[in-house]
Amino acid sequence: MTTRVKASRWILFLCLALGGAAFDLTTKSLIFAKVGPPRSAAPVSLIPGILELQTSYNPGALWGFGASMPYSSLVFALLSIVAGIAIVGWLFIGGAAASLPLTIALGLIMAGAMGNCYDRLVYGHVRDFVHFHVDSINFDCAIFNFADNMLVVGALTLVLFALRPQPSDEPVASEREPRAVESESVEPV
């Protein structure tokens, strides 16, 4: 069953998906042009001991998951395409775009999927460049990119949306009509 979706939801979704993917691909191109390919130069420190630009190639998914799997880039590119089709179907045929939080979450997920899918199809791997680490406490995060951030924020938004309290169909006590209290007649003695 198809549901009519407001044009504003289409516009929001397309702005998030296309704008986010364009932002991701532009930042990857700029950083790789400035810093160079992996191991070609020292990382560029933005916040000493915490944040730096360090280029890296990732043939797997988030945090390198599945990197050693044969044809991992093609497998993950295919999964991204299938996910993109499912997202558009759910939003605009299934009617999920009636929900603003779902439209935003799925727009961000689509942006991240498109950015990383492009890299996989064109380069055979994903280009990562943000390295967050806190040397003072020996914390080291995997190198990532803005597409990864959009995927994570979109997924967290979906989780929070799913965990939100559902409104009850039953009216709140203050909204109910007062009950008529039957009074017992007490006869004087």
Side-chain angles (χ1 to χ4, degrees):
M1 173 170 126
T2 58
T3 306
R4 185 149 172 80
V5 177
K6 294 186 223 174
S8 62
R9 293 298 161 88
W10 276 101
I11 293 168
L12 174 62
F13 176 77
L14 289 172
C15 285
L16 285 169
L18 297 176
F23 177 75
D24 172 66
L25 294 172
T26 300
T27 57
K28 288 173 183 174
S29 293
L30 292 172
I31 299 301
F32 271 73
K34 177 159 179 60
V35 177
R39 296 184 245 348
S40 66
V44 175
S45 179
L46 300 176
I47 302 172
I50 296 176
L51 186 65
E52 62 192 15
L53 300 176
Q54 179 180 348
T55 57
S56 173
Y57 296 139
N58 179 4
L62 203 57
W63 301 298
F65 172 77
S68 62
M69 182 174 67
Y71 307 105
S72 61
S73 279
L74 288 176
V75 169
F76 289 120
L78 179 62
L79 289 173
S80 295
I81 292 167
V82 169
I85 292 167
I87 286 170
V88 170
W90 185 27
L91 276 173
F92 300 109
I93 296 171
S99 165
L100 181 61
L102 279 179
T103 304
I104 292 170
L106 294 173
L108 289 170
I109 290 170
M110 181 67 101
M114 287 171 46
N116 284 344
C117 184
Y118 176 89
D119 274 10
R120 288 184 178 103
L121 294 174
V122 172
Y123 300 106
H125 51 256
V126 173
R127 299 171 292 167
D128 291 330
F129 61 88
V130 179
H131 187 203
F132 175 69
H133 54 96
V134 182
D135 294 344
S136 61
I137 60 170
N138 221 13
F139 172 79
D140 192 10
C141 183
I143 300 172
F144 57 92
N145 59 46
F146 287 113
D148 296 336
N149 290 344
M150 288 180 261
L151 285 165
V152 169
V153 170
L156 287 174
T157 303
L158 279 180
V159 168
L160 292 173
F161 183 77
L163 295 175
R164 79 191 188 293
Q166 295 294 321
S168 174
D169 291 339
E170 189 175 311
V172 180
S174 63
E175 296 173 356
R176 289 188 209 135
E177 289 184 30
R179 290 186 184 161
V181 178
E182 293 183 27
S183 59
E184 294 179 19
S185 50
V186 179
E187 294 182 26
V189 185

